[in-house]
Structure formats: C-alpha cells, structure tokens
C-alpha cells in the first residue's frame, strides 16, 4: 500500500493527522505510526542538544504522536500542553518522578536494601492530597519570604567569582553554577552546613536514576548512590527534629507537621527532603548554564545587558523560554481523552515537551528568535502551569538574576570558548555539563574601579516587569516643526532596524532620570524600518518631561526608550474613519491617517489648534491628504464644530481622537448617541484604578487552575495579591490603559476600572484587568489562573 493511501486510511479511521511516511508500528489505539514518530528517541544526541528543534517536525505536522520506543504519547504544542497542565484530574502527575527507564531486578534489590521508599512529593501527587499540602507548605516561597535569601545568594555569587576572576578562563558549571545553587538549595531547605557536601554528591545520582537511561552495569552503582542519598536525607531530617525552630523550609515543614499531622506526614517530609534538593538545585544550575551559553552566543544581547542591567530580569525570562532547564514533563491519562484531536486511551503515558511548547509559533511570534525584550516571554511553560507549577520558580529567577548581574558587572568582556557541549542523557533536565568561558583579566573592570564590586542592581522577585524592558536609541536629528514643537528622529545605535510598530503606538522616554519617564506617540511612517519619530510640545505647565527634552536633547545623544506599545489600535476593518486631533494630539492621528490612505479607506482629518504657526505638520498633512484634511486655527476664527460634525451617528464609522481633555470630554458627549464603542480616544493616564483603601472593600479570588484562594485586601490590587501568592500575571502600565494584565473571569461580577474594555466587553464580564479592576461589592471572583 502506498504511503499516501495509508495516511488516508489512517485519517478515515478517525485520526486527523496526516502521518506522512509510515512505519510498521501501530499505536495502542491501532493508529499507524509515522516513521518519524517511530524513530523518536529522547535519549539520542539530537534531542539532548536541542529538544525543540528535534521535535520541530511534530510541532508543525504531527503535534501529538505515539512513540513506540518510549511507550509514551508525545505532545508538542503550547495550547495542548497548557490544557494538560490545567486539568490535573484527567492528566495525573503521578508518573512525574517514575523512572523513565525501568531498572533491573538487581538494582531494585539494592534500592530495597536501603529501605528506599521515595513517596509522593509536591511534584507527583494527585488530588485531593496535593493541594492541602501545597497550601500548608507554600508560604516560604512567596516573594516576601524569598527576599531574606537575597544577601546569601549575592555573597555566594561574589565569593565564587572571586575564586576565578583573575584566571581568565573558567568552566562556569564546574567552578560555580553547580555548587552555588546547591548551596542555596540546602540553605533554603535549612540543611546544616556540615551535611552539605555529602548531599551534593548524591544529588546527581538521583537525576540519572529518575530521568536517565543508565546501562545495566551502571544501574547498580546508581542504585547504591540513591539508596545512600535516601538514608542520609532521613538522618539529616532526624537531626532537624532536634531543632525545629531553625530557619529553612524543612524545619518549617516539621513545625507544620505538628499543626497538620495528617497532611504533612513523616514519609512525605523524607521524600520532599530528597526531591527538594534536586528540584531546587539542578534546575537552577542548568538554567543558568543554558542562559549564559545563550547570552554569550548572542553577543549583542550580552552587550545590552552589560550596558543596561535593568534588562537582566527580562533576559532571564527569555532564556527560560528559549532554552530552559526543563525540557519535558510527564502525565498519565486517567480516562479516555482527546489531546489535539487525537484519541488517547485511559492509562496512557504522556511526555509533554514543554521546551517545544516554548517554541510554538502559534503562541510566540518568531519563536526561534532569541529576543531579550520579548513581551510575552514569561508565558513559557518551563515552570509548568496551574496547581503543580514549580513552587521554587521565584527562587530560581532570583538566583539567575544575581548570577547574571555578577557576571555582567565583573566580567563583561567574557567570551564563550571553543568547545563541544555534552548533556547528561535524560528526558527532562537539561543543561551543558561544562561551559568554558574566557576573558583577559588585565581588562577586568574592577582593577580600574574597585567601587564596582559594591554595586548592586535590585533584584526583581517574580515575573519581570515590562517597564524594565528598554533600549538605548540615538537621536539622529532634532528639528523644530512648529512654535514650541520639535521633532526627534531616533535610531538604534548599531543601525539595526527599530522594533516594528503600528499607528497609535507610543514610546516611553526616560527624560534625564528613571523617575521622569514620559510617553510620546509615534508620528512617522512605520514603513521606515530604521527610525522612530516623535514630536514634543514644550509644555510650560507640564510635569517637566517636555521641558527637559527641549532643553537637553541634541543630535547624537543617547536616550533610554521603552516600547513601542499600542493602546490606541486602528481598526482597519472600518469602512470610514473620522480622525480628530487637538494641538500636539496630531501625532498618533497623523500616523493613522497615513495608514488609512495606504489602505485606501474613506477618512477625514479634523485638526484644531491656536494658530497655524503652533500646529505641527500642517503642510505635510495637506500635501499628503489634500481635501481630506480640515484645519481649524483659532486665530483665523475657525473652530471645529464637533456637535455638527458628529450630529448623525453612522454605522461602520469609527472616530479616533487625541487632544486636550476638554476636547475629549466634549467628544464623549457628542458621540453618546452613536453605536457603542464608535469613539476611541488616546489615554496616556488614568486615575480610574487609583486605590483609596478607605472606600474599597476586601474580597476573595479563587484561582481555578491553581486551586488556591487569594484574599485581596482593600489596600491592594488584584495584581499585587496575585504576585504575593506567586502567581504570574504580566503587566505593563498598571493603570488600566494597556490590557497586558488581562485575565479571564469564570464567575463573579467585576467592577471594571480600566479604559481598555468596551462597554459590551464589560457587560460580558468574561475578562478583567487585574491592575485596577476589582470585585463588585459582595462578589467573589473565580479567575482562569
Ligand atoms: Fe496595563 Fe493592567 S497593566 S491594563
């Protein structure tokens, strides 16, 4: 039978996938297995070197397939994997720590001789047992609690770099990245110093035992090491019982055991002691090694974070996305279920390749590109998602930031050395075994300036803020374009293209200090790939940003710029546009008009100002738009009669406006009779979400995916409360303007306070902006988080 007809037969049999070239194998459902699926072997070098690349074919053509070699169904796309994480009843985590390669009887006998009984841990436990334990044990992982560990991590990072800074060459893994996270993990757990060395030695054996494929002759040696690890972990725990008030997560667990003996059991603590060391240590060690390798292989990104350490937290997130230390995870189907349209029978084992999800083009634009300013990098699934999400994620993020800060400050001239990379063969934990770097110690910055040693960049505990994502831009020209208005052309320092933008976008410019950051709409042509243009009106009564620009900015200067971001999108599907600008409000309107012309839309521009001399771009607009432009200069006695202009509501017409507040208020009134949401205005600030605790009430939010309930006090936003509970939600403006912090609402009435949602979207009550909106009085919100 030809391949094509076999594939067709497979499809007619209910399988929606064109398998391509077929092998002789069949999946447990009787579906033929493609040759590529039959060849899939996660212990092969291809997977070890680059898991997302190894399964690219699957992500693109056969996103869920059966692997006869592994005996697992393999899942590769973002949405499917997130849905699996979300439903931990259908997809049990119980096999997450199961040996992926079953050991032989001899090794099993060795393990039994040590009384090895690794039981359920937070990672592989089903409900209803899992969440009560997680809730009892989670407090030491909150950002508030983690702050106390920062000085210890900084001190360790400094001491280890001190040891090799004058050598000019180091294997970062062997000389730092392996030991420091392990030491941090042991401190975090509360393990006494004298026991640390022994536990260090046992840790790697456990990884090979669980996720690797040791040869039969290696299995016995590994089993002895793991058995010793198990017994030693028990002894350390016994010692801790003598001093349960000591700091650390394990003593905390022992104290909680007294309050909830049925929830925190002896066997549970023993298993967590062992699993916790591995979980807290290896993932971070590997993640940092991957991150350093990636950054040094992208010298521009490395230079960017050396010049602007404020970018480190977003760079960490992109490293975790692009090349995290957890390549795949495992689940067991507890009932017949479909994943990505493929029938999976109850009892099937699933390998969910999270590293592949992180390269899914359907979720991450240009997914293979390494971009440390990527907006949605923190959507990655490297930490998992939902109720089993990695509890230590923020400890790992904190360590990685501190390590990167130490390297960028003290060895910015570091380069990656020529070498072959090798990986411990296993399906899940991934990082190079060695990472050789080199530099010229004569150029160590601290030899010139010892004060550098004392500098510190504040660590951001939790998900990075988009506010920190900035870039340097060079001022190409400063041109007066009207009385009191200058146009700035900004380019990248190395002449690379500027970020792509759409009409209505703005950028934030740091005007002399981080506290004085101001937003300016882009007014140029998005087709100009190497420059951004803004126009700045000198406002005597303003808050100082425009005065600073006028007084200080000269060609050749470098400015710190964030964005572009767009809160004022042009709906290109509208038949007709009315574009209204007052004064300097012409900037986004000019970009929209240019786009409307390019698209051949029906549009008109109404531009008001005090005098032509004070109105920017009038001639340019007239040349481009001809009679579509209507200019109203007050000094000529002309005035835009908004009431007449908007007297008749028109279906399919969208009104866009930017200008002084009184003009926008008048427009709101004029458009009251228009179809809902016909008027869109540019907001640069909103006070709607400003909290006045004396007028607010406290409420609760239930997080459906995470299985926890989070109280929101009267003096905190939902976003703050979520972050304090270790839940990642992106944010940007934190004023209800941009929509980045949106989450889905499953139940409860929301008191909307943003300017993002339209009236009908608010009424639908399906989404909310967590930075400003709250629950209506007496309501409890259920969110899809
Ligand atoms: Fe911008 Fe909430 S962060 S709307």
């Amino acid at each position: 039978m030809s391949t094509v007809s076999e594939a067709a037969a497979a499809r007619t049999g209910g399988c929606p996938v064109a398998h391509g070239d077929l092998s002789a194998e069949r999946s447990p459902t009787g579906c033929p297995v493609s040759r590529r699926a039959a060849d899939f072997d996660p212990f092969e070098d291809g997977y070890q070197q680059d898991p997302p690349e190894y399964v690219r074919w699957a992500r693109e053509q056969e996103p869920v397939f059966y692997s006869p070699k592994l005996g697992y169904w393999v899942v590769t796309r973002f949405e499917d994997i997130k849905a699996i994480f979300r439903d931990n009843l259908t997809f049990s985590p119980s096999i997450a720590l199961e040996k992926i390669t079953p050991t032989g009887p001899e090794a099993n006998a060795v393990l039994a001789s040590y009384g090895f009984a690794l039981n359920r841990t937070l990672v592989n436990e089903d409900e209803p047992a899992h969440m009560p334990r997680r809730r009892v044990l989670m407090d030491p992982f909150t950002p508030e609690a983690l702050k106390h560990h920062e000085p210890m991590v900084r001190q360790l990072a400094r001491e280890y770099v001190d040891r090799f800074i004058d050598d000019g060459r180091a294997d970062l893994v062997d000389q730092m990245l392996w030991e420091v996270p392990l030491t941090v993990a042991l401190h975090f757990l509360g393990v006494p110093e004298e026991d640390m060395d022994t536990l260090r030695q046992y840790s790697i054996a456990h990884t090979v035992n669980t996720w690797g494929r040791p040869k039969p002759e290696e299995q016995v040696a590994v089993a002895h090491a793991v058995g010793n690890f198990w017994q030693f972990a028990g002894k350390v725990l016994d010692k801790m019982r003598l001093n349960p008030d000591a700091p650390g997560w394990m003593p905390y667990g022992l104290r909680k055991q007294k309050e909830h003996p049925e929830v925190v059991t002896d066997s549970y603590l023993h298993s967590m002691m062992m699993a916790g060391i591995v979980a807290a240590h290896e993932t971070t060690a590997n993640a940092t090694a991957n991150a350093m390798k990636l950054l040094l292989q992208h010298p521009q990104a490395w230079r960017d974070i050396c010049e602007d350490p404020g970018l480190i937290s977003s760079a960490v997130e992109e490293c975790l996305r692009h090349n995290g230390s957890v390549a795949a995870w495992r689940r067991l189907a507890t009932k017949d279920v479909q994943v990505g349209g493929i029938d999976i029978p109850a009892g099937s084992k699933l390998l969910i390749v999270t590293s592949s999800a992180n390269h899914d083009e359907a979720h991450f634009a240009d997914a293979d590109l390494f971009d440390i300013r990527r907006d949605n990098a923190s959507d990655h699934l490297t930490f998992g998602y939902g109720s089993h999400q990695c509890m230590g994620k923020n400890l790992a993020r904190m360590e990685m930031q501190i390590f990167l800060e130490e390297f960028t400050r003290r060895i910015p001239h570091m380069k990656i050395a020529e070498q072959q990379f090798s990986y411990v063969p296993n399906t899940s934990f991934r990082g190079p075994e060695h990472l050789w770097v080199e530099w010229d110690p004569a150029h160590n910055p601290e030899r010139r300036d010892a004060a550098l040693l004392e500098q510190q960049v504040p660590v951001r505990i939790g998900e990075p803020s988009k506010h920190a994502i900035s870039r340097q831009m060079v001022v190409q020209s400063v041109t007066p374009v009207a009385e009191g208005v200058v146009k700035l052309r900004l380019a990248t320092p190395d002449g690379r293209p500027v970020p792509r933008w759409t009409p209505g976008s703005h950028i934030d410019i740091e005007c002399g200090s981080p506290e004085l950051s101001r937003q300016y709409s882009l007014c140029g042509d998005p087709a100009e790939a190497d420059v951004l243009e803004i126009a700045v009106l000198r406002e005597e009564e303003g808050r100082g940003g425009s005065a600073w620009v006028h007084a200080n900015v000269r060609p050749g200067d470098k400015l710190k710029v964030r964005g572009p971001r767009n809160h004022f999108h042009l709906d290109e599907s509208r038949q007709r546009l009315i574009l209204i600008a007052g004064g300097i409000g012409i900037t986004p309107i000019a970009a929209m008009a240019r786009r409307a012309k390019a698209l051949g839309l029906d549009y008109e521009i109404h531009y008001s100002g005090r005098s032509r001399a004070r109105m920017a771009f009038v001639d340019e607009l007239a040349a481009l738009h001809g009679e579509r432009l209507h200019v109203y200069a007050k000094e000529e006695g002309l005035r835009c009669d908004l009431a007449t202009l908007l007297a008749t509501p028109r279906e399919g017409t969208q009104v866009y406006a930017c200008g002084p507040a009184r003009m926008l208020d008048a427009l709101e009134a004029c458009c009251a009779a228009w179809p809902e949401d016909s008027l869109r205005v540019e907001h640069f600030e909103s006070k709607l979400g400003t909290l006045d605790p004396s007028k607010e009430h406290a409420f609760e939010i239930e997080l459906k995916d995470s299985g926890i309930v989070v109280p929101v006090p009267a003096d905190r936003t939902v976003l703050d409360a979520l972050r304090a509970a270790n839940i990642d939600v992106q944010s940007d403006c934190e004023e209800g303007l941009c929509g980045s912090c949106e989450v889905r609402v499953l139940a409860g009435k929301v008191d909307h306070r943003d300017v993002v949602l339209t009236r009908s979207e608010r009424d639908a009550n399906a989404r909310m902006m967590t930075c400003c909106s709250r629950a209506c009085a007496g309501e409890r919100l259920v969110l899809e988080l």
Side-chain angles (χ1 to χ4, degrees):
M1 190 188 283
S2 75
T3 300
V4 173
S5 58
E6 274 184 302
R11 284 200 298 278
T12 51
C15 175
V17 172
H19 295 284
D21 193 12
L22 295 179
S23 71
E25 316 256 10
R26 293 203 162 243
S27 78
T29 54
C31 189
V33 171
S34 71
R35 203 164 301 282
R36 301 195 79 156
D39 289 345
F40 173 81
D41 181 353
F43 300 103
E44 252 181 21
D45 199 45
Y47 181 93
Q48 299 299 323
Q49 291 290 340
D50 191 346
E53 184 57 33
Y54 185 76
V55 294
R56 175 188 296 280
W57 63 275
R59 205 160 56 243
E60 290 172 356
Q61 299 156 27
E62 197 180 346
V64 180
F65 66 88
Y66 182 73
S67 160
K69 276 191 187 159
L70 200 61
Y72 275 63
W73 293 85
V74 182
V75 187
T76 58
R77 282 191 183 162
F78 184 91
E79 279 311 323
D80 292 335
I81 293 178
K82 191 159 178 182
I84 288 171
F85 277 132
R86 193 172 266 145
D87 181 356
N88 60 15
L89 298 180
T90 307
F91 302 101
S92 157
S94 57
I95 59 167
L97 297 182
E98 201 173 79
K99 292 190 190 83
I100 203 156
T101 306
T103 40
E106 204 185 340
N108 289 343
V110 170
L111 283 171
S113 72
Y114 287 91
F116 179 74
L118 185 68
N119 214 320
R120 294 290 164 212
T121 68
L122 286 172
V123 174
N124 61 351
E125 185 164 59
D126 283 318
E127 304 306 343
H130 162 251
M131 275 317 293
R133 287 194 177 126
R134 191 172 167 105
R135 286 186 203 111
V136 164
L137 295 171
M138 71 199 299
D139 275 1
F141 289 94
T142 57
E144 198 51 37
L146 290 178
K147 266 191 220 152
H148 304 297
H149 299 284
E150 186 181 332
M152 175 259 297
V153 181
R154 284 193 188 277
Q155 189 189 332
L156 283 168
R158 179 167 173 172
E159 280 172 16
Y160 274 72
V161 173
D162 280 348
R163 293 180 192 176
F164 56 70
I165 182 124
D166 291 321
D167 297 350
R169 185 173 161 83
D171 174 358
L172 292 183
V173 175
D174 268 5
Q175 293 176 251
M176 177 169 170
L177 299 180
W178 184 251
E179 284 200 13
V180 177
L182 179 52
T183 310
V184 173
L186 294 171
H187 273 294
F188 178 80
L189 292 170
V191 172
E193 298 270 347
E194 69 264 26
D195 298 322
M196 286 190 184
D197 275 342
T198 316
L199 286 175
R200 275 189 193 119
Q201 288 160 23
Y202 292 143
S203 176
I204 192 165
H206 180 55
T207 301
V208 176
N209 181 52
T210 309
W211 290 278
R213 189 186 275 176
K215 296 193 185 79
E217 62 274 21
E218 291 169 341
Q219 287 183 7
V220 170
V222 168
H224 277 294
V226 171
N228 276 314
F229 188 1
W230 175 254
Q231 288 199 340
F232 193 76
K235 285 191 196 132
V236 175
L237 198 55
D238 286 343
K239 205 183 314 178
M240 282 177 180
R241 286 182 202 281
L242 304 175
N243 184 15
D245 292 328
W249 190 52
M250 293 310 298
Y252 178 84
L254 289 168
R255 295 196 292 277
K256 287 289 168 186
Q257 188 180 33
K258 292 219 164 64
E259 291 167 33
H260 311 274
E262 71 301 339
V263 175
V264 186
T265 60
D266 277 347
S267 121
Y268 192 74
L269 285 172
H270 194 162
S271 297
M272 279 309 299
M273 178 77 184
M274 192 161 159
I277 291 170
V278 178
H281 152 227
E282 288 207 35
T283 47
T284 309
N286 284 329
T288 317
N290 289 334
M292 284 303 294
K293 175 170 174 272
L294 203 50
L295 285 160
L296 294 173
Q297 285 172 335
H298 292 82
Q300 185 59 48
W302 176 253
R303 269 197 299 277
D304 285 354
I305 62 169
C306 290
E307 279 168 20
D308 182 1
L311 287 169
I312 287 176
S313 67
S314 60
V316 162
E317 218 60 28
E318 175 66 348
C319 290
L320 288 166
R321 180 197 75 85
H322 197 280
N323 198 2
S325 55
V326 179
W329 215 235
R330 288 182 281 163
R331 290 292 185 261
L332 177 73
T334 57
K335 59 181 186 194
D336 291 351
V337 64
Q338 277 205 340
V339 177
I342 300 291
D343 291 324
I344 303 238
S348 296
K349 293 177 176 182
L350 279 67
L351 183 75
I352 49 179
V353 189
T354 42
S355 54
S356 169
N358 292 343
H359 282 251
D360 188 340
E361 286 283 337
H363 193 86
F364 299 100
D366 220 347
D368 294 333
L369 181 76
F370 177 59
D371 176 4
I372 60 170
R373 297 179 177 89
R374 184 180 290 276
D375 261 4
N376 65 346
S378 56
D379 283 356
H380 66 75
L381 298 177
T382 302
F383 292 129
Y385 175 77
S387 62
H388 277 271
Q389 193 180 40
C390 171
M391 287 224 293
K393 64 184 178 183
N394 286 331
L395 180 59
R397 283 169 166 153
M398 178 171 84
E399 287 185 62
M400 290 177 74
Q401 283 178 59
I402 290 172
F403 298 157
L404 258 53
E405 193 222 316
E406 191 76 9
F407 291 141
T408 51
R409 185 166 39 90
R410 301 183 66 187
I411 324 179
H413 47 317
M414 179 190 286
K415 302 240 175 337
I416 196 158
E418 262 314 296
Q419 64 204 293
Q420 288 284 329
F421 293 103
S422 60
Y423 296 83
V424 175
N426 76 98
T427 53
S428 297
F429 290 160
R430 194 176 164 278
E433 289 181 288
H434 303 281
L435 178 61
W436 283 100
V437 294
E438 42 198 25
W439 66 96
D440 180 353
H443 291 125
N444 289 352
E446 64 204 50
R447 292 195 182 183
R448 293 190 311 275
D449 181 3
L452 267 180
L453 270 175
E454 307 310 323
Q455 283 179 11
Q456 285 184 2
V457 177
V459 161
R460 178 169 171 98
I461 301 179
E463 203 197 2
S465 158
K466 283 195 203 162
H467 263 296
I469 302 179
S470 63
R471 71 189 74 232
Q472 291 257 336
M473 296 197 79
V474 178
V475 180
Q476 238 181 30
S477 62
V478 182
T479 318
V481 287
E483 266 176 37
V485 181
V486 288
K487 181 171 82 176
L488 269 50
R489 281 173 66 85
L490 307 171
T492 55
D494 52 8
R496 284 185 304 167
V498 296
R500 277 173 285 178
W501 62 280
T502 48
S505 299
H506 68 271
I507 54 175
D508 291 50
I509 292 190
E510 211 172 86
C511 299
S513 75
E515 294 72 44
L516 197 57
S517 179
R518 293 290 172 263
Q519 299 178 332
Y520 297 100
S521 293
L522 293 173
C523 58
D525 182 354
E528 265 197 286
D530 55 356
V531 75
L532 297 176
E533 278 186 12
I534 57 168
V536 181
L537 167 70
R538 185 187 172 94
E539 293 182 87
E540 303 302 342
E541 307 294 308
R543 292 173 292 167
S546 67
W548 183 87
V549 169
H550 277 255
N552 296 290
V553 176
R554 301 288 175 263
D557 286 355
K558 285 192 177 152
L559 295 177
K560 206 166 173 182
V561 172
R562 284 194 294 273
R565 279 165 290 173
N566 198 342
H567 306 162
F568 189 42
H569 287 280
L570 180 69
D571 181 351
E572 299 183 352
S573 67
R574 293 295 176 135
Q575 299 147 11
R576 191 155 176 280
L577 305 175
I578 301 178
L579 306 173
I580 301 176
I584 197 64
I586 191 61
T587 46
I589 296 295
M592 286 179 162
R594 187 191 296 273
R595 179 70 181 155
K597 182 179 166 78
L599 291 172
L601 301 180
D602 183 10
Y603 66 98
E604 56 197 70
I605 311 164
H606 299 269
Y607 180 15
S608 308
R610 261 192 260 167
S611 68
R612 281 183 184 260
R614 298 177 63 88
M615 294 168 73
F617 308 127
V618 173
D619 294 343
E620 199 179 313
L621 289 165
L624 201 59
H625 303 291
E627 293 186 347
R628 291 184 184 275
L629 175 71
H630 305 267
V631 177
Y632 310 90
K634 197 170 168 195
E635 105 182 336
E636 295 168 13
L638 297 172
R639 179 180 148 266
C640 180
D641 182 352
L642 295 174
T644 307
L645 179 67
L646 301 167
T648 316
R650 278 175 279 186
E651 271 300 330
T653 298
Q654 184 75 46
V655 182
Y656 290 92
C658 184
R662 63 177 185 289
M663 181 189 99
L664 300 182
D665 291 345
L667 272 168
E668 293 272 3
C670 296
C671 288
W674 280 59
E676 201 191 321
D677 310 322
S678 295
L679 172 66
R680 298 268 166 91
V681 301
E682 170 73 312
H683 291 278
F684 277 129
E685 55 180 353
S686 165
K687 298 271 182 277
L688 290 175
T690 309
L691 274 188
D692 177 352
S694 64
K695 297 194 180 129
E696 304 293 352
H697 61 273
F699 57 96
E700 273 184 352
I701 46 178
E702 179 186 331
L703 309 185
K704 186 79 185 356
D705 294 344
S706 310
I708 55 173
V709 172
V710 177
V712 183
D715 61 349
R716 274 195 161 186
T717 64
V718 173
L719 185 65
D720 289 340
L722 288 170
R723 290 199 169 140
N726 257 349
I727 303 295
D728 293 338
V729 177
Q730 291 183 11
S731 73
D732 187 350
C733 68
E734 302 195 0
E735 288 180 71
L737 299 171
C738 71
S740 337
C741 63
E742 177 183 308
V743 300
R744 283 176 57 77
V745 178
L746 303 173
K749 187 92 190 86
V750 179
D751 173 5
H752 292 284
R753 302 183 184 183
D754 61 277
V755 296
V756 177
L757 297 179
T758 63
R759 249 180 287 154
S760 54
E761 286 167 341
R762 288 175 172 211
D763 293 345
N765 202 58
R767 303 186 279 153
M768 73 179 286
M769 303 307 141
T770 51
C771 69
C772 57
S773 299
R774 304 180 70 79
C776 288
E779 293 284 327
R780 181 177 194 265
L781 302 179
V782 182
L783 306 181
E784 192 182 81
L785 276 175

